[in-house]
Amino acid sequence: MLGGLIVILICQLAGEVVVQLLGMPVPGPVIGMVMLVGYLAARGGVDPGIKTVSDTLLRYLALLFVPAGVGLMVHFELVARDWIAIAAALLGSTVLALITTMLIMQFLTRRGEGE
């Protein structure tokens, strides 16, 4: 389990370093997740240690939303003032994610039928 946690943290650190060095407008952990997916693809599967750590983190995922909820309440005036922009961004990103998922699924389905 410790080995899996170390791999995850190294990927996150590497993502942060890449973002800082290249000045990318993407959070470091996102780049780290892409690196982790590449690592897992190169290995051909998920290591049992990484699976144990990820299952444990997912079990307590709801607790990670508590600070975000507290932040919303602390800055409620800002949210109330800009609710239209926030709602538009949420709606737009949701629609964009659904369309992207649909297009990727269609591509993979057609590709799978061709093989």
Side-chain angles (χ1 to χ4, degrees):
M1 184 167 154
L2 183 59
L5 182 62
I6 289 171
V7 170
I8 291 172
L9 291 176
I10 286 174
C11 287
Q12 181 177 358
L13 176 63
E16 290 286 352
V17 169
V18 168
V19 166
Q20 291 298 319
L21 289 177
L22 300 178
M24 299 172 69
V26 179
V30 173
I31 302 298
M33 282 193 298
V34 171
M35 290 177 176
L36 181 61
V37 168
Y39 169 77
L40 294 175
R43 285 189 55 126
V46 178
D47 182 75
I50 294 175
K51 182 175 179 357
T52 302
V53 172
S54 61
D55 287 344
T56 303
L57 289 173
L58 286 174
R59 188 175 309 124
Y60 299 107
L61 183 65
L63 292 176
L64 300 176
F65 289 103
V66 171
V70 170
L72 283 174
M73 293 301 104
V74 168
H75 298 290
F76 187 74
E77 298 84 22
L78 294 173
V79 174
R81 186 183 68 208
D82 297 327
W83 73 272
I84 294 174
I86 293 170
L90 287 171
L91 182 65
S93 63
T94 300
V95 169
L96 184 63
L98 288 172
I99 290 171
T100 303
T101 303
M102 177 192 67
L103 292 174
I104 291 172
M105 187 64 188
Q106 284 180 346
F107 170 76
L108 292 174
T109 303
R110 289 183 187 143
R111 183 175 153 204
E113 291 172 357
E115 292 179 3

